[in-house]
């Protein structure tokens, strides 16, 4: 198509209308692309976004406050087939997949909510589509997804199908904060689920695995604290360890 992209990039969407705060046209909002470079229809001329309608419940009104709803997410969720959408991009290189010579790099993907979007592009290319990447991939792709409850899981049908078909190359773990408890008896957040497999994850990272984080920025402090604790137990300097991962291109973070 006329807007070719790679897995891990984002498209910008410019919703129509004016910003009531300054009277200027609405600004661009970025959304991670949730399809491989070929698109879900494999035409190379389409793409997919994973959008959650942003609303705000006002306790004083006892209802949703329309003045505080997400302008762009509601625009996209309300759009009808055939709607012309003004877009920018693609942009971004932080979340690109490793393109190793042997295509055997382990990929560890950590997401909360719609932060799963870029990873859908990954698993489509590696496991679903009948393309050269799927034929060549010999590594392990491991997805950790954190959501409130099982009703909020995204793409579960796709993921379970891949897990059943590729048990040696695809691993899947959910952190359901309102349904499960961590080892301390508290809510099971994403960092708790990752910590359960800390030894294996650190071993894979030492062997060249790439680790990705995508979702709300509030996920990172808990993850960083958990990784610091693991580093301490392993006798590692956390700052030096992360610096090494970044230097080797193994550390990828895109939060919003």
């Amino acid at each position: 198509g006329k807007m070719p992209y790679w897995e891990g990039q984002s498209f910008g969407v410019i919703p129509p209308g004016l910003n009531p705060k300054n009277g200027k046209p609405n600004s661009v909002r970025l959304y991670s692309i949730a399809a491989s470079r070929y698109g879900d229809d494999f035409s190379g001329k389409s793409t997919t976004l994973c959008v959650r309608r942003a609303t705000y419940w006002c306790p004083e009104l006892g209802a949703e406050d329309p003045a505080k709803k997400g302008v762009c997410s509601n625009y996209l969720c309300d759009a009808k087939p055939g709607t012309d959408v003004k877009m920018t991009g693609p942009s971004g290189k932080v979340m690109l997949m490793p393109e190793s010579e042997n295509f055997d790099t382990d990929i560890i993907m950590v997401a909360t909510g719609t932060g799963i979007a870029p990873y859908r592009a990954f698993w489509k290319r590696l496991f679903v589509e009948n393309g050269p990447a799927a034929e060549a991939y010999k590594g392990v792709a491991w997805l950790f997804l954190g959501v409130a409850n099982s009703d909020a899981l995204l793409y579960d049908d796709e993921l379970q199908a891949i897990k059943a078909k590729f048990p040696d190359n695809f691993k899947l773990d959910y952190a359901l904060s309102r349904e499960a408890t961590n080892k301390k008896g508290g809510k099971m957040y994403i960092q708790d689920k990752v910590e359960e497999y800390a030894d294996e994850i650190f071993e894979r990272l030492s062997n060249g695995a790439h680790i990705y984080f995508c979702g709300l920025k509030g996920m990172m402090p808990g993850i960083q604290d958990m990784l610091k604790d693991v580093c301490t137990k392993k006798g590692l300097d956390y700052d030096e360890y992360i610096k090494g991962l970044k230097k080797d291109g193994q550390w990828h973070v895109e939060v919003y």
Side-chain angles (χ1 to χ4, degrees):
K2 295 178 180 176
M3 295 176 75
Y5 58 88
W6 287 352
E7 298 79 13
Q9 291 194 296
S10 299
F11 273 129
V13 176
I14 304 174
L18 302 177
N19 183 335
K21 293 179 181 175
N22 57 22
K24 295 180 180 179
N26 282 317
S27 55
V28 64
R29 271 74 161 180
L30 292 177
Y31 292 92
S32 296
I33 297 169
S36 82
R37 62 190 65 186
Y38 307 112
D40 279 359
D41 60 2
F42 220 65
S43 68
K45 297 179 180 178
S46 70
T47 195
T48 301
L49 303 178
C50 179
V51 182
R52 178 179 181 269
R53 185 188 294 274
T55 58
Y56 175 77
W57 180 266
C58 177
E60 294 172 1
L61 289 174
E64 289 180 1
D65 185 345
K68 294 184 178 179
K69 69 180 184 179
V71 172
C72 198
S73 66
N74 281 273
Y75 163 63
L76 288 173
C77 290
D78 291 334
K80 302 288 190 292
T83 299
D84 285 337
V85 177
K86 188 180 287 189
M87 297 177 67
T88 67
S91 63
K93 57 184 180 180
V94 172
M95 299 290 285
L96 295 179
M97 289 172 60
E99 303 279 353
S100 64
E101 194 172 322
N102 301 320
F103 222 51
D104 58 359
T105 305
D106 290 344
I107 299 173
I108 301 164
M109 306 164 280
V110 183
T112 54
T114 56
I116 197 174
Y119 308 139
R120 183 174 185 264
F122 290 10
W123 78 64
K124 281 281 190 178
R125 185 167 175 228
L126 296 178
F127 299 109
V128 177
E129 297 167 350
N130 188 21
E135 288 179 24
Y137 189 61
K138 300 293 186 288
V140 170
W142 193 348
L143 174 66
F144 292 87
L145 173 63
V147 292
N149 50 52
S150 47
D151 289 345
L153 290 171
L154 298 166
Y155 306 116
D156 183 56
D157 52 345
E158 290 184 22
L159 294 167
Q160 297 301 339
I162 296 169
K163 186 179 176 184
K165 190 174 180 181
F166 301 95
D168 296 331
N169 299 94
F170 186 75
K171 295 162 75 78
L172 176 65
D173 283 279
Y174 291 144
L176 306 175
S177 61
R178 292 181 189 165
E179 293 182 11
T181 53
N182 61 27
K183 63 184 180 182
K184 297 172 185 171
K187 291 183 177 180
M188 174 67 78
Y189 290 114
I190 190 74
Q191 63 266 25
D192 303 313
K193 181 55 70 173
V194 174
E195 186 179 14
E196 288 182 10
Y197 300 95
D199 288 342
E200 184 178 350
I201 289 170
F202 270 64
E203 183 179 347
R204 290 184 183 276
L205 288 170
S206 70
N207 291 324
H210 284 229
I211 190 164
Y212 295 78
F213 302 92
C214 189
L216 294 173
K217 67 180 75 166
M219 72 188 270
M220 289 310 293
I223 285 171
Q224 289 166 321
D225 289 343
M226 177 273 294
L227 291 174
K228 284 177 186 173
D229 289 343
V230 174
C231 282
T232 300
K233 290 172 185 171
K234 292 182 176 292
L236 299 168
D237 181 305
Y238 170 77
D239 292 326
E240 288 299 315
Y241 181 74
I242 300 300
K243 189 187 294 182
L245 292 178
K246 290 179 178 178
K247 181 185 173 191
D248 293 333
Q250 295 172 256
W251 180 265
H252 310 260
V253 179
E254 189 161 86
V255 292
Y256 39 84

